[in-house]
Amino acid sequence: MAKLTFDKAQKAVGIGALVEKTIKFRGVDGEPFEGEIFIKVLSSDEVANITDVLKLKKDEKYTIDQYRAAMLLQCVYEGKDKPFFPDLKSTGLVGEEMKVAMYLAADEVINFTGKHWLLMKNQNSSVNSSAVESADKQ
């Protein structure tokens, strides 16, 4: 096994990399529409400070919609060096269904909700209990 260094860890996690995702939503005619977007892998610090773009005053609260808009602005891209949304206001100029599809794609890559970790924890628990059961049977 190779020695893990900070540089290797950053490269393995892919901070700053763009991950292609396909999103699906309904178009204006109600027909299904799908397209590819890129999700930028954000660092922990970037995720922790994602609402800084909202420029809120100290102790001012933000809504989940504002959080999602800030997140979409910072991690959804059309291509290399080309953010999907030019500014925060533009995140409100697309349909809610499309924004939800983008958010879910971003969550798969960045794991904002922590659900990926919970899924892995549950899978590991199942594997561990299966191994214990096998040992008992022997």
Side-chain angles (χ1 to χ4, degrees):
M1 190 176 305
K3 181 180 176 184
L4 184 63
T5 65
F6 181 72
D7 289 339
K8 286 180 183 177
Q10 279 190 309
K11 187 174 181 177
V13 175
I15 302 300
L18 296 177
V19 177
E20 187 173 3
K21 298 299 271 181
T22 300
I23 62 167
K24 298 177 183 181
F25 55 95
R26 284 176 294 172
V28 69
D29 57 2
E31 293 296 316
F33 186 87
E34 68 179 56
E36 280 72 38
I37 58 171
F38 292 93
I39 304 298
K40 180 181 178 186
V41 180
L42 302 178
S43 70
S44 312
D45 285 347
E46 289 172 313
V47 172
N49 298 312
I50 208 149
T51 57
D52 286 356
V53 298
L54 299 174
K55 298 182 178 148
L56 300 173
K57 294 179 177 103
K58 184 178 174 156
D59 297 327
E60 187 177 358
K61 304 288 183 202
Y62 56 85
T63 67
I64 190 69
D65 289 335
Q66 288 173 308
Y67 175 83
R68 285 184 176 167
M71 185 273 305
L72 293 175
L73 175 67
Q74 294 176 70
C75 72
V76 179
Y77 279 68
E78 287 181 14
K80 186 177 179 180
D81 300 324
K82 177 107 171 79
F84 190 90
F85 296 103
D87 55 37
L88 190 60
K89 186 173 175 85
S90 64
T91 63
L93 301 177
V94 297
E96 193 62 30
E97 186 177 351
M98 182 179 176
K99 289 194 305 189
V100 168
M102 288 177 162
Y103 181 81
L104 293 174
D107 189 45
E108 284 180 28
V109 174
I110 303 168
N111 195 25
F112 293 105
T113 62
K115 289 180 184 175
H116 179 70
W117 178 82
L118 292 173
L119 175 65
M120 295 308 291
K121 181 180 173 191
N122 288 340
Q123 286 177 348
N124 288 340
S125 289
S126 299
V127 168
N128 290 342
S129 62
S130 296
V132 170
E133 289 170 12
S134 301
D136 289 343
K137 288 178 186 175
Q138 294 174 356

